C-alpha cells in the first residue's frame, strides 16, 4: 500500500504537495481532468486519436499517497499511449475518501460488482465510452500497490469490461476484509489462493471468463511482501482454471511453463515466469525483480514509488495487453473490405482512383511502394495517378478491425504506346542453391550466402509469362521491381541475369537453374531496400530488350553481392504467391 505503519493515519502533506507539482510531459496529446459522480479522473487522449476509429483504453490506478499526475509521470504511460494511439484514464482517489488516498481494496463494501469503488470505476469507463470511440475488446486495467489490489478486484467483478489485468506490487482478490487485516496480508499474504480463486470465480457470476493477468513484484518489497505477488498468480490460476470450462481440473495452474532469467543493461536482474493453458496459449506472466522494493519497475524518477533500474513494466504490460484482447461474443471482429476503382492495370492516360470500404472506416494509402500505416496519408478524395504507380492501401473500421494491406499496380503508357505489367509465376519462381545440399524451393525466395566464407550460395529465379506482348511491338522500356521480405547479415547489391525462355529444361524451377547459361549476364543491378515490405526497382538497359520473350517465358536470375565472412548473409524477397508484394515486370511498347 506504499506506506509504512506510521504513515497510515498521517499524510506527509508537504511531500505530497511537492510531488503533485511534478509536470507530466507528453508529445502531442491532451491530458485533462474530467468528473464522474463528483469524482475526478484524468484522461490522456493521444494526438493520433480520430473520432469514429476505435482505440484501446487503459485504466491506471495509482497507489496510496499518489495522484493521477504523479502516477502518469512515474509510469510514463502517456508517452507510450501517444506512440500506440491509446486512451488512458487515471481515476483519482481523494483524501476525502481515504486519508492516504488508498483504494478500499480491503473493504467488503468495495469488493463486489455494482457497489462502492468498483461500480464507480466502471461508471467512469462507461462515460469515456460515451464520449470517445473505444474498442470494447481492448479495455484494460493496471495499478500499483493499493491500485494493483483494486485492479484484481476489477478483473474479478467486471470481467465483461476488462480484457486483461496488470498487477504491480499488489495482492490477491479479497486478501483482506478489514483495514487491520490489510496490514497482516501486506506482510504475510492473504488467505489460501485456491480459496480466493474460487471466491473470485464466484464474484464473476455469469460474466465469468479467463482473464489474462501479468504481475510485477520486487523481491525486496517490505511494504507489500513478495508472497503477495506469488499469491496473485495462484489466485488467478484457480479463477481462470474454473472459468475456462467451469471445472476445477488444473488445465490452468500456477506452475510456470517457462522460466526466463534476464537483466536490464546496467540495472536489475529479474525472473520472468510464463503460465500457459492446455492449448499452449499464454494466460499469465509474473516478473520478480531482484532487489527492487515497493515500486513501479522501470518507472521514471519524475514520479513517486518508481525504480528506474528495473525492467520497463509499462512497455511489458502494454505488450501483454496487446496480445490479449477480450474478443467477447457479439463484438465486431470482421475487418473492412476496400476496393479500388478503377482497379490496377494499364491505362493510356492519367486516371483518378477511388477507394471505397464496405463499411464506415478510415482508409490509408501510399504511392511510393512503402507499407502504409495509420500515420500514412488518409484517403479523403480520389487519388490522381499520372505515371506508373504502385498503390498500397488498407482500412480500419469503427470497431478497430484492420484490413490487410492491398495493392494495385497502375501502368500509364502515355500517348502512342502501351504498357503491360507482368507478375512472376508463383509455381515457377523461387531459389536454387549452389549445391544439392543447399536446397531448392518455390516458396522461399532467398539470395546470398550460407556463411563460413562462402559467397553466392543462393540465387533467386523469377519467371514471367511475357507472351502477351504483341509480336510486332517495339519494346521502349522495361522495369523490374522486387520487394524485400527479410534481411539477415549484409547484402550490398543484387545483380541480374536474363533468359529468353527458361534457364532449365522447362519453366519449372530446377537445381540446375543456379548455373545454367543466361541470354545475358549482369544486365543490371538493384539496390537493397532499406526496410521490409518496401521495394527496389531497376530500368533494364536496351541491350536486354531482345531477350524479353514475346512468345513465352522470360526469366531473371538474381544474385547477391555479400561479404566473404563467417556470418550468413541472406536477403529474402517476396515471390509470385504474394498478392501485395509480388515481383513485377513492367514493359512499355510502341
Amino acid at each position: 500500500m506504499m506506506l509504512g505503519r506510521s504513515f497510515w493515519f498521517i499524510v506527509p502533506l508537504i511531500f505530497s504537495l511537492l510531488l503533485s507539482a511534478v509536470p507530466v510531459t507528453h508529445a502531442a496529446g491532451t491530458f485533462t481532468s474530467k468528473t464522474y459522480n463528483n469524482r475526478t479522473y484524468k484522461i490522456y487522449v493521444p494526438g493520433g486519436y480520430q473520432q469514429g476509429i476505435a482505440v484501446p483504453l487503459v485504466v491506471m490506478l495509482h497507489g496510496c499517497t499518489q495522484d493521477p499526475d504523479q502516477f502518469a509521470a512515474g509510469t510514463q504511460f502517456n508517452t507510450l499511449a501517444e506512440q500506440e494511439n491509446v486512451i488512458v484514464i487515471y481515476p483519482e482517489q481523494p483524501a476525502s475518501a481515504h486519508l492516504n488516498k488508498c483504494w478500499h481494496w480491503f473493504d467488503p463494501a468495495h469488493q463486489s460488482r455494482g457497489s462502492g469503488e468498483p461500480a464507480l470505476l466502471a461508471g467512469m469507463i462507461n462515460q469515456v465510452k460515451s464520449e470517445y470511440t473505444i474498442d470494447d475488446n481492448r479495455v484494460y486495467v493496471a495499478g500499483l500497490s493499493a491500485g494493483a489490489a483494486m485492479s484484481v478486484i476489477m478483473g474479478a467483478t467486471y470481467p465483461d469490461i476488462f480484457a486483461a489485468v496488470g498487477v504491480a506490487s499488489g495482492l490477491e482478490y479479497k486478501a483482506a476484509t478489514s483495514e487491520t487485516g490489510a496490514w497482516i496480508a501486506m506482510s504475510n499474504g492473504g488467505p489460501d489462493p485456491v480459496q480466493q480463486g474460487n471466491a473470485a470465480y464466484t464474484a464473476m457470476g455469469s460474466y465469468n471468463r479467463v482473464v489474462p493477468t501479468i504481475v510485477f513484484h520486487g523481491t525486496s518489497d517490505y511494504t507489500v511482501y513478495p508472497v503477495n505477488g506469488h499469491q496473485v498468480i495462484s489466485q488467478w490460476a484457480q479463477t481462470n482454471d474454473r472459468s475456462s470450462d467451469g471445472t476445477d481440473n488444473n488445465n490452468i495452474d500456477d506452475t510456470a511453463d517457462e522460466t526466463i532469467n534476464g537483466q536490464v543493461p546496467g540495472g536489475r536482474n529479474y525472473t520472468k515466469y510464463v503460465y500457459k493453458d492446455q492449448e499452449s496459449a499464454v494466460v499469465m506472466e509474473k516478473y520478480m525483480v531482484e532487489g527492487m522494493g515497493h515500486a513501479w519497475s522501470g518507472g521514471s524518477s519524475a514520479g513517486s514509488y518508481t525504480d528506474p533500474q528495473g525492467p520497463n513494466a509499462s512497455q511489458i504490460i502494454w505488450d501483454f495487453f496487446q496480445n490479449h484482447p477480450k474478443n467477447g461474443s457479439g463484438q465486431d471482429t470482421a475487418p473492412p473490405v476496400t476496393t479500388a476503382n478503377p482497379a490496377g492495370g494499364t491505362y493510356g492516360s492519367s486516371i483518378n482512383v477511388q477507394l471505397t470500404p464496405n463499411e464506415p472506416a478510415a482508409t490509408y494509402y501510399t504511392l511510393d511502394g512503402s507499407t502504409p500505416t495509420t500515420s500514412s496519408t488518409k484517403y479523403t478524395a480520389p487519388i490522381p495517378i499520372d505515371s506508373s504507380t504502385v498503390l498500397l492501401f488498407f482500412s480500419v473500421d469503427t470497431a478497430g478491425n484492420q484490413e490487410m494491406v492491398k495493392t494495385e499496380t497502375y501502368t500509364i503508357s502515355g500517348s502512342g504506346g502501351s504498357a503491360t505489367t507482368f507478375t512472376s509465376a508463383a509455381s515457377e519462381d523461387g531459389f536454387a542453391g549452389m549445391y544439392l545440399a543447399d536446397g531448392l524451393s518455390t516458396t522461399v525466395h532467398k539470395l546470398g550466402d550460407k556463411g563460413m566464407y562462402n559467397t553466392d550460395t543462393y540465387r533467386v529465379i523469377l519467371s514471367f509469362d511475357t507472351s502477351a506482348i504483341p509480336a510486332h511491338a517495339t519494346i521502349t522500356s522495361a522495369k523490374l521491381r522486387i520487394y524485400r521480405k527479410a534481411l539477415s547479415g549484409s547484402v550490398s547489391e543484387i545483380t541480374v541475369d536474363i533468359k529468353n525462355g527458361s534457364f532449365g529444361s522447362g519453366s519449372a524451377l530446377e537445381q540446375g537453374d543456379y548455373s545454367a547459361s543466361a541470354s545475358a549476364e549482369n544486365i543490371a543491378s538493384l539496390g537493397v531496400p532499406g526496410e521490409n515490405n518496401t521495394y527496389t526497382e531497376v530500368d533494364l538497359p536496351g541491350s536486354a530488350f531482345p531477350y524479353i520473350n514475346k512468345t513465352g517465358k522470360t526469366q531473371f536470375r538474381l544474385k547477391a553481392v555479400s561479404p566473404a565472412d563467417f556470418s550468413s548473409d541472406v536477403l529474402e524477397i517476396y515471390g509470385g504467391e504474394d498478392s501485395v508484394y509480388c515481383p513485377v515486370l513492367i514493359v512499355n511498347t510502341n
Side-chain angles (χ1 to χ4, degrees):
M1 300 226 302
M2 306 197 320
L3 64 168
R5 296 176 190 266
S6 61
F7 284 78
W8 188 255
F9 296 105
I10 300 174
V11 182
L13 293 176
I14 296 175
F15 178 67
S16 296
L17 289 170
L18 287 172
L19 282 175
S20 65
V22 175
V24 179
T25 59
H26 46 273
T30 60
F31 193 36
T32 57
S33 295
K34 287 183 174 290
T35 301
Y36 172 79
N37 250 11
N38 298 317
R39 296 292 287 271
T40 300
Y41 63 94
K42 297 203 73 170
I43 181 168
Y44 183 82
V45 180
Y49 170 76
Q50 298 180 43
Q51 189 72 20
I53 300 178
V55 298
L57 171 66
V58 178
V59 181
M60 295 286 284
L61 301 177
H62 65 73
C64 297
T65 76
Q66 290 185 313
D67 59 34
D69 287 322
Q70 292 173 31
F71 200 40
T75 62
Q76 296 287 286
F77 220 93
N78 289 353
T79 300
L80 185 62
E82 183 67 31
Q83 296 169 357
E84 301 291 340
N85 202 30
V86 178
I87 289 179
V88 189
I89 67 170
Y90 301 82
E92 181 176 6
Q93 179 73 315
S96 59
H98 186 280
L99 186 61
N100 276 323
K101 305 180 182 180
C102 302
W103 299 99
H104 289 91
W105 59 270
F106 47 82
D107 186 337
H110 303 277
Q111 295 176 333
S112 301
R113 183 185 184 96
S115 68
E117 290 166 0
L120 176 72
L121 294 170
M124 289 180 181
I125 293 167
N126 288 333
Q127 178 172 284
V128 172
K129 287 181 177 180
S130 71
E131 298 178 6
Y132 300 88
T133 309
I134 302 299
D135 183 352
D136 282 339
N137 280 327
R138 296 186 292 166
V139 178
Y140 307 97
V141 60
L144 172 65
S145 191
M150 184 54 70
S151 295
V152 169
I153 290 173
M154 297 307 295
T157 57
Y158 288 94
D160 53 321
I161 292 181
F162 297 106
V165 175
V167 185
S169 299
L171 300 95
E172 66 181 358
Y173 179 66
K174 287 190 176 181
T177 54
S178 69
E179 197 154 350
T180 300
W183 287 110
I184 297 172
M186 289 162 60
S187 296
N188 303 315
D192 175 20
V194 173
Q195 170 187 309
Q196 300 315 107
N198 290 331
Y201 175 72
T202 300
M204 287 180 166
S206 61
Y207 301 102
N208 71 82
R209 54 175 283 272
V210 173
V211 177
T213 302
I214 182 169
V215 169
F216 273 81
H217 219 108
T219 63
S220 297
D221 188 340
Y222 302 123
T223 301
V224 177
Y225 278 64
V227 61
N228 291 283
H230 302 307
Q231 285 191 337
V232 171
I233 285 293
S234 296
Q235 174 251 293
W236 275 111
Q238 179 66 13
T239 305
N240 287 332
D241 180 37
R242 293 283 302 277
S243 297
S244 64
D245 57 8
T247 305
D248 186 356
N249 55 9
N250 288 327
N251 58 9
I252 299 175
D253 59 35
D254 60 356
T255 300
D257 296 285
E258 293 181 40
T259 301
I260 303 165
N261 294 315
Q263 182 179 19
V264 177
R268 297 193 183 279
N269 295 318
Y270 62 90
T271 304
K272 173 184 176 182
Y273 301 89
V274 180
Y275 305 83
K276 302 180 181 180
D277 62 16
Q278 284 191 321
E279 305 300 322
S280 296
V282 175
V283 178
M284 301 177 298
E285 292 182 359
K286 178 175 66 179
Y287 285 75
M288 298 301 297
V289 184
E290 191 68 31
M292 185 177 77
H294 195 62
W296 186 271
S297 181
S300 168
S301 57
S304 56
Y305 297 102
T306 63
D307 186 337
Q309 301 302 309
N312 187 341
S314 294
Q315 183 66 62
I316 294 169
I317 288 172
W318 171 243
D319 291 342
F320 181 85
F321 284 172
Q322 284 196 96
N323 291 327
H324 293 90
K326 178 160 62 71
N327 291 326
S329 60
Q331 301 296 330
D332 175 11
T333 59
V337 178
T338 307
T339 55
N341 183 31
T346 301
Y347 298 88
S349 61
S350 299
I351 57 173
N352 290 317
V353 178
Q354 185 173 0
L355 301 179
T356 307
N358 66 339
E359 60 176 309
T363 302
Y364 304 89
Y365 69 93
T366 60
L367 300 172
D368 60 0
S370 63
T371 302
T373 68
T374 53
S375 297
S376 300
T377 303
K378 184 178 180 181
Y379 176 83
T380 56
I383 305 165
I385 305 289
D386 54 17
S387 61
S388 296
T389 301
V390 177
L391 169 65
L392 292 99
F393 58 93
F394 73 96
S395 296
V396 182
D397 67 19
T398 56
N401 300 304
Q402 183 168 311
E403 179 181 24
M404 296 291 291
V405 173
K406 292 183 173 181
T407 185
E408 298 284 352
T409 300
Y410 296 91
T411 303
I412 308 300
S413 62
S415 176
S418 62
T420 308
T421 299
F422 304 95
T423 59
S424 67
S427 61
E428 299 172 2
D429 59 20
F431 90 89
M434 179 183 295
Y435 304 112
L436 187 64
D438 295 323
L440 175 80
S441 175
T442 59
T443 59
V444 176
H445 305 72
K446 64 180 181 179
L447 56 157
D449 65 70
K450 60 185 176 183
M452 299 295 290
Y453 296 93
N454 289 282
T455 58
D456 196 17
T457 308
Y458 315 109
R459 295 179 175 180
V460 167
I461 305 297
L462 299 179
S463 183
F464 299 91
D465 183 353
T466 49
S467 60
I469 302 173
H472 64 274
T474 300
I475 297 175
T476 57
S477 66
K479 180 180 294 184
L480 179 65
R481 177 182 295 152
I482 61 172
Y483 287 82
R484 166 176 156 174
K485 187 174 185 180
L487 174 65
S488 62
S490 175
V491 173
S492 59
E493 189 180 9
I494 306 163
T495 60
V496 183
D497 301 340
I498 189 171
K499 180 71 175 184
N500 184 320
S502 304
F503 282 102
S505 58
S507 58
L509 188 67
E510 301 174 7
Q511 196 80 44
D513 291 348
Y514 176 93
S515 56
S517 62
S519 299
E521 293 187 349
N522 300 328
I523 58 166
S525 62
L526 290 154
V528 177
E531 297 180 358
N532 294 343
N533 302 332
T534 58
Y535 69 78
T536 183
E537 61 183 15
V538 63
D539 290 311
L540 301 179
S543 60
F545 298 168
Y547 305 119
I548 297 177
N549 190 357
K550 299 176 182 177
T551 60
K553 303 288 183 179
T554 302
Q555 292 191 336
F556 294 88
R557 184 167 57 204
L558 309 184
K559 303 172 292 186
V561 177
S562 60
D565 55 21
F566 185 81
S567 301
S568 174
D569 304 292
V570 174
L571 170 67
E572 185 176 356
I573 66 172
Y574 288 95
E577 78 287 344
D578 193 283
S579 61
V580 176
Y581 303 116
C582 59
V584 295
L585 175 66
I586 303 170
V587 180
N588 288 277
T589 60
N590 282 328

